[in-house]
Amino acid sequence: MKWIKKGLIFNPKNNHSNWITNYASLPIVDLIDKKKLRIYFSTRDELGRSLPTFIEVNPEKPNEIYYIHNKPILDLGERGTFDDNGIMPSSIVNKNNIKYLYYIGWNTQKTVSYRLSIGLATSKDGGHTFNKISNGPILDRSIDEPFFNTAPYVIKESDLWRMWYVSCTGWEVIHDWPEPFYNIKYAESNDGINWKRTKITCIDYDNFTQAIGKPCVYKENGVYKMFYSFRSATDYRIDKSRSYRLGYAESNDGIKWIRKDKKMGMNFSDDGWDSLMNEYCSTYNFKDCRYLIYNGNGFGESGFGYSILKSK
């Protein structure tokens, strides 16, 4: 693959909104029609808590912004619930005129930095407002996954719902700070709400990779394809040789994956908003062209931009 970088779509610091002021993290795409692409993402309030919202853009030229939503689409959970300190969108499924928004719920912790779980909200008005299906998560730490799970990507195939999600396997104190290690696992469901974990690891660690984040899966010509972010455990916030970059894998069944990171064809820019990190991507196809929407430096602090896959 060869990606042509097209630049920033949305800079949270220059958007002229009265409430979006800093981050624009984890963009996920929803192609509404031939003229409108909706991009859900998460910003942060004055206390650093993540809140989800969206913009609408031209799907052919997504840096042409039509609309910026002026409030969060979900409120933080009640004190003590899994999403009382942050909500970040992760995946959206359209079924029978209902939008299923799978999201990340945040809690702050004392012995480590945070705890993450997976929540679900639905919309019956085309995605302008959402309602949580419950006050609790649909996937949380368990007997087999004792740390956290997060960042799901969900697709529906016939009667089977399929989820690829991030699972933390442990924390390690590095430079006097607890750092998480996480890989990508797989789960299935008959209704999109109640999930059976398979204990299958789809993308795992190697000599460099010590964290694999936010999968994005699509099927093309009978082959499952996955984009994801990966990094080392040390100095990844400041050293581009160890920071988040985008990876790629393929599978015949969506369960057994082969990493082909060198095939990704996406590199850091020499300078600017994505010169240190490339991560948290989403993808769509429009007019026979594949688009990649992704975050750059600072986990979304510099906003999100896009690249187009060069045709052969």
Side-chain angles (χ1 to χ4, degrees), residues 128-291:
H128 290 278
T129 62
F130 285 84
N131 294 300
K132 300 175 185 178
I133 67 158
S134 67
N135 290 326
I138 60 169
L139 223 63
D140 201 355
R141 59 188 183 187
S142 67
I143 190 171
D144 294 312
E145 295 177 284
F147 299 101
F148 67 69
N149 44 52
T150 183
Y153 192 86
V154 178
I155 63 174
K156 186 178 183 296
E157 294 184 323
S158 298
D159 294 329
L160 181 65
W161 297 67
R162 313 185 74 181
M163 177 191 287
W164 297 265
Y165 66 99
V166 171
S167 176
C168 179
T169 61
W171 294 77
E172 181 179 330
V173 175
I174 300 173
H175 301 323
D176 298 321
W177 187 260
E179 297 285 2
F181 291 67
Y182 41 85
N183 55 23
I184 295 177
K185 289 188 169 60
Y186 175 71
E188 294 182 344
S189 172
N190 293 322
D191 59 8
I193 299 172
N194 300 286
W195 291 88
K196 179 182 179 182
R197 305 176 215 232
T198 64
K199 301 182 183 180
I200 294 171
T201 299
C202 295
I203 310 293
D204 209 352
Y205 310 122
D206 59 22
N207 291 333
F208 172 84
T209 309
Q210 292 157 322
I212 307 106
K214 198 181 184 298
C216 175
V217 177
Y218 65 101
K219 194 174 183 179
E220 188 174 65
N221 299 324
V223 177
Y224 292 89
K225 300 181 177 183
M226 182 192 295
F227 300 129
Y228 47 87
S229 315
F230 69 103
R231 60 167 176 77
S232 183
T234 60
D235 299 325
Y236 61 89
R237 295 176 181 86
I238 58 174
D239 183 350
K240 72 165 53 181
S241 69
R242 308 186 67 79
S243 66
Y244 265 129
R245 71 279 321 277
L246 295 174
Y248 174 73
E250 293 182 354
S251 172
N252 291 324
D253 58 9
I255 297 173
K256 296 180 180 178
W257 293 82
I258 298 174
R259 289 183 69 169
K260 299 185 177 183
D261 294 332
K262 292 183 179 180
K263 191 176 179 180
M264 182 67 202
M266 183 87 160
N267 298 311
F268 301 118
S269 296
D270 292 333
D271 52 38
W273 74 278
D274 63 345
S275 58
L276 177 62
M277 295 181 182
N278 294 171
E279 76 280 355
Y280 308 151
C281 72
S282 187
T283 187
Y284 67 99
N285 198 68
F286 187 76
K287 292 186 177 180
D288 296 322
C289 182
R290 179 150 300 278
Y291 290 74

